[in-house]
Amino acid sequence: MQLGLRLPQTGINQAKKENIIHLAEEADIAGFHSLWVLERLIWPINPQNPYPGSKDGKFPHDWQYIFDPIETLNYVASKTKRIKLGTSVVDMLFHNPLILSKRFATLDILSDGRTIAGLGIGWARDEYQASGIPFRNRGDRADEYLQLLKKIWTNDMVEFEGQYYSVPPSKIGPKPRQLPHIPIYLGGYSEKTFARIANHADGWICTIRDSLRQTKSNIEMIKKECLKVNRDPNDIEIAAIVYPNIECLSSDPYIESTGPRGKWQRQQRSSRHLLNGNEEQLADDLRQIGEIGVDLAILNYNRSPIGNSVDSIISVTRQLHKLVK
């Protein structure tokens, strides 16, 4: 299994130029697979759709302060040499496809072909409202968007006439460095998303929190959709965003044994859940994740006890990298 890291691009205390570059350079040297960023447009005060990852439905607090994903990766590209650079995810429908295709192509050229275009269609009605895009028919719009995106990246002359997008016969450059085009990974969990992956994408991005059962079932569904269109399921890379909570010793400088994180540590000793524990336990969990078909684990430490320490994130990930090889 390969390991990637989420860059510290969110939260006013974490999203700093020095943190981003420090983590990116160290991850590049360490031989990790990739660096990842996300996109959020707004932090709605009273969200129309509750955020599924929180008990109260509120968006994570750190999303109130978030750097643009592609601008961040362009900056990181100039400071790194080999590590891949991915978005997990950009909600494509909020962007004009010609503009987004050029932004990704530019990143791919400036990074010498290290880009992964992780895309989604979003779920928050508030962001659709803010973008001026209808929430309905977003799946059909996404199918058309992906067809146009690949034409822009691969065809010398581009002409497109669809229900939602139209491009007159045109030259559109530059083209990405990667051939035939930048790898496209899609996020989402519906049956239509899995069919879209089989027809248009190179990978799937999911989130794993407490259980592997649903992820394993979803991977099998993607395989079935691939077989329907005579595509080899092994062509689809499976990437999973995971949230490791590393157990820290009370003597570690980044955790206070009497504070809330110390309380978290004591709770974990009595009842361990997936991706919670010491390095050996986390490595075992990652191996299990790999056994169900996940090729890449994207480690997101931003809400873990070491989330504010880039050095600790790199140190722990180096050890996990050795243990899961």
Side-chain angles (χ1 to χ4, degrees):
M1 171 185 283
Q2 302 275 10
L3 298 184
L5 283 174
R6 208 205 80 169
L7 283 167
Q9 68 161 139
T10 67
I12 195 166
N13 294 320
Q14 292 175 310
K16 299 178 183 296
K17 179 174 69 172
E18 54 270 25
N19 287 344
I20 290 171
I21 292 306
H22 182 31
L23 188 144
E25 291 179 337
E26 290 298 320
D28 197 28
I29 293 169
F32 302 154
H33 176 270
S34 47
L35 297 167
W36 295 81
V37 289
L38 60 95
E39 178 182 58
R40 285 267 71 92
L41 299 185
I42 59 176
W43 196 88
I45 305 299
N46 299 300
Q48 298 178 53
N49 303 89
Y51 174 64
S54 65
K55 293 181 180 179
D56 61 3
K58 293 285 189 181
F59 284 28
H61 189 270
D62 58 307
W63 288 0
Q64 294 183 28
Y65 185 96
I66 181 168
F67 290 167
D68 178 85
I70 300 178
E71 296 292 343
T72 301
L73 291 183
N74 270 309
Y75 181 60
V76 168
S78 69
K79 304 292 184 178
T80 54
K81 297 184 181 300
R82 50 146 301 276
I83 197 164
K84 294 183 182 296
L85 308 171
T87 56
S88 61
V89 296
V90 165
D91 291 319
M92 56 185 155
L93 301 184
F94 302 156
H95 305 269
N96 178 285
L98 278 77
I99 295 174
L100 188 63
S101 68
K102 193 178 291 283
R103 294 180 71 199
F104 270 115
T106 300
L107 172 61
D108 200 51
I109 292 170
L110 296 180
S111 67
D112 293 324
R114 292 186 279 140
T115 304
I116 300 172
L119 304 173
I121 62 174
W123 51 269
R125 290 179 181 269
D126 298 280
E127 291 189 320
Y128 272 87
Q129 179 180 331
S131 301
I133 302 295
F135 190 74
R136 65 186 182 279
N137 299 327
R138 60 193 191 279
D140 292 339
R141 188 184 292 268
D143 288 333
E144 192 172 295
Y145 195 112
L146 292 168
Q147 294 173 49
L148 175 54
L149 193 64
K150 288 203 256 187
K151 279 197 171 187
I152 294 171
W153 283 343
T154 58
N155 291 7
D156 182 53
M157 192 277 289
V158 179
E159 182 177 11
F160 192 88
E161 190 62 45
Q163 182 178 354
Y164 304 100
Y165 303 105
S166 177
V167 179
S170 306
K171 297 276 189 174
I172 305 175
K175 305 300 182 187
R177 176 162 179 174
Q178 296 181 82
L179 298 175
H181 55 75
I182 296 169
I184 296 171
Y185 289 19
L186 296 182
Y189 298 92
S190 71
E191 186 174 340
K192 290 184 177 179
T193 296
F194 300 149
R196 189 172 300 119
I197 290 168
N199 282 283
H200 301 296
D202 306 288
W204 177 48
I205 299 176
C206 64
T207 298
I208 295 176
R209 294 184 185 275
D210 302 319
S211 170
L212 301 182
R213 181 181 57 81
Q214 189 59 56
T215 301
K216 184 177 181 180
S217 174
N218 289 338
I219 292 173
E220 291 303 315
M221 292 177 67
I222 291 173
K223 289 180 180 179
K224 290 179 181 178
E225 293 296 332
C226 286
L227 294 175
K228 288 180 183 179
V229 295
N230 296 317
R231 186 172 183 190
D232 185 350
N234 293 321
D235 290 344
I236 305 298
E237 295 286 330
I238 307 297
I241 302 168
V242 299
Y243 296 84
N245 276 316
I246 184 73
E247 181 181 285
C248 305
L249 300 175
S250 61
S251 60
D252 288 338
Y254 44 81
I255 184 169
E256 297 179 9
S257 60
T258 59
R261 290 180 180 174
K263 180 181 179 182
W264 171 89
Q265 176 186 306
R266 292 190 295 274
Q267 290 173 339
Q268 296 312 308
R269 288 190 182 127
S270 61
S271 176
R272 195 181 88 83
H273 298 284
L274 186 72
L275 297 166
N276 290 266
N278 58 36
E279 290 170 344
E280 289 77 13
Q281 291 169 321
L282 292 181
D284 185 59
D285 289 342
L286 289 171
R287 282 190 288 268
Q288 291 183 52
I289 290 171
E291 288 169 0
I292 67 168
V294 174
D295 304 294
L296 167 66
I298 302 169
L299 309 181
N300 186 338
Y301 295 95
N302 67 320
R303 298 182 192 104
S304 77
I306 62 172
N308 291 322
S309 172
V310 171
D311 288 333
S312 298
I313 288 171
I314 293 295
S315 176
V316 168
T317 308
R318 279 181 182 271
Q319 183 62 21
L320 292 176
H321 196 225
K322 293 177 182 178
L323 292 173
V324 299
K325 276 188 174 179

